[in-house]
Amino acid sequence: MNNESSPGGFVLLGFSDHPRIEKVLFMIVLMSYFVTLVGNTLIILLSILDSKLHTPMYFFISNLSFLDLCFTTSCVPQLLSNLWGPEKTISFNGCAIQLFVFLALGTTECILLAVMAFDRYVAICQPLRYAIIIHPRLSQQLAALAWIIGLLESVVQTPPTLLLPFCSHRRVDDFVCEVPALIRLSCEDTTYNEIQMAVASVLILVVPLTLILVSYGAIVRAVLKINSAVGRKKAFGTCSSHLLVVSFFYSSVITVYLQPKNPYAQDQGKFFGLFYAVGTPALNPLIYTLRNKDVKGAFRRLLKKIKQAEES
């Protein structure tokens, strides 16, 4: 095979080795994308319009919702096009943009989930000092830090990946332009890129996950010291939604980035990657609305205001 480093198109193989399920996946992805758009937009609007949700926790949740909107939009339109028709190509520039955005937003979400765990830790373990520690300015700084780290990670890792000499067939064995798939497409030594990806995986995945687990370990110890059963239930209730989101996100993304090098693992990784890119952003608003009394209350108040406005 000849190596090519000049700009050209790529073929996103996606799920073409499973042609019977492509149309089924198309409908699942389309419905999930619709839920993502409606659910996350609703959470952002409620967080802005309802004064009772003007708290650090819902500020972080609205950041997560905005991130999920951008995250899915960076890949779902291309994915739907590939699943529905025979044309599965993407231009070099389109792949570069997709890789940059996907990597930046994925990294941002890892950091943001760790920030949200810290917020819950302070709320449960330091309730009397919560308003002093997690003040609005610090909330904005922590959210900005997550976005900046995501941007820097993408700036560092995207160029070396795109500068690899790719095999002439240009067939990416994935449904999206992502670092592991592009590294596999190279016909030359990729040791440097693999080391870079391994280091990034530790810093962006393992370190934040460790901080989250440590935070929740402290939360569990603090909650178990509460004498009231009602108090314990309320404390666990405020954290269960976030813990569920963390479980879904990290279980899928770790499978994608830390999978062993064999064809079966790569094939399975595509389905985990699909859940990570499409399923998790659709589940997040459902988790935060169906399991959260504050959000449901804000939604009822919004509907009441709309009804009153129509009557007047």
Side-chain angles (χ1 to χ4, degrees), residues 49-225:
L49 297 176
D50 197 295
S51 59
K52 292 187 177 181
L53 299 186
H54 291 175
T55 64
M57 184 176 79
Y58 291 106
F59 172 73
F60 293 133
I61 290 175
S62 62
N63 267 266
L64 181 64
S65 294
F66 178 70
L67 188 151
D68 283 340
L69 284 174
C70 299
F71 191 67
T72 52
T73 303
S74 71
C75 66
V76 166
Q78 177 74 40
L79 174 59
L80 290 173
S81 176
N82 291 355
L83 288 173
W84 186 256
E87 185 67 30
K88 301 181 186 299
T89 59
I90 183 172
S91 67
F92 181 87
N93 290 335
C95 183
I97 293 171
Q98 190 179 75
L99 174 64
F100 184 88
V101 173
F102 206 74
L103 190 57
L105 295 180
T107 302
T108 301
E109 184 155 358
C110 291
I111 306 301
L112 187 60
L113 289 174
V115 169
M116 294 171 72
F118 172 69
D119 172 72
R120 292 299 82 206
Y121 163 76
V122 178
I124 301 298
C125 300
Q126 303 285 338
L128 299 180
R129 302 180 59 200
Y130 177 75
I132 299 174
I133 298 174
I134 311 294
H135 51 80
R137 185 179 178 185
L138 180 62
S139 301
Q140 294 168 5
Q141 290 172 341
L142 290 174
L145 179 65
W147 287 93
I148 291 171
I149 291 176
L151 181 63
L152 291 176
E153 162 63 11
S154 191
V155 167
V156 169
Q157 200 159 353
T158 299
T161 304
L162 293 174
L163 290 173
L164 283 169
F166 299 114
C167 295
S168 58
H169 60 76
R170 320 277 294 189
R171 293 176 182 175
V172 180
D173 189 18
D174 209 333
F175 63 89
V176 67
C177 288
E178 205 167 8
V179 175
L182 291 174
I183 288 177
R184 291 195 298 269
L185 182 61
S186 177
C187 289
E188 292 192 359
D189 182 45
T190 58
T191 302
Y192 169 76
N193 299 82
E194 290 176 11
I195 292 174
Q196 187 184 48
M197 187 175 71
V199 172
S201 297
V202 171
L203 295 177
I204 303 303
L205 294 177
V206 178
V207 172
L209 181 58
T210 301
L211 294 175
I212 291 171
L213 294 176
V214 170
S215 297
Y216 274 98
I219 288 172
V220 169
R221 289 195 299 271
V223 170
L224 292 177
K225 293 179 182 179

Side-chain angles (χ1 to χ4, degrees), residues 303-312:
L303 292 178
K304 187 177 180 181
K305 289 180 181 179
I306 294 173
K307 187 177 179 180
Q308 290 174 347
E310 289 177 348
E311 292 175 350
S312 60

Side-chain angles (χ1 to χ4, degrees), residues 201-279:
S201 297
V202 171
L203 295 177
I204 303 303
L205 294 177
V206 178
V207 172
L209 181 58
T210 301
L211 294 175
I212 291 171
L213 294 176
V214 170
S215 297
Y216 274 98
I219 288 172
V220 169
R221 289 195 299 271
V223 170
L224 292 177
K225 293 179 182 179
I226 300 175
N227 296 324
S228 169
V230 176
R232 286 196 298 270
K233 184 178 179 180
K234 183 178 179 181
F236 276 125
T238 61
C239 300
S240 59
S241 296
H242 179 252
L243 195 56
L244 199 57
V245 169
V246 168
S247 301
F248 283 140
F249 178 80
Y250 272 98
S251 60
S252 55
V253 76
I254 286 175
T255 304
V256 172
Y257 278 90
L258 301 181
Q259 62 181 324
K261 288 185 176 181
N262 63 71
Y264 176 76
Q266 291 174 12
D267 189 58
Q268 293 295 104
K270 282 191 280 190
F271 288 94
F272 279 102
L274 184 65
F275 180 74
Y276 150 62
V278 180

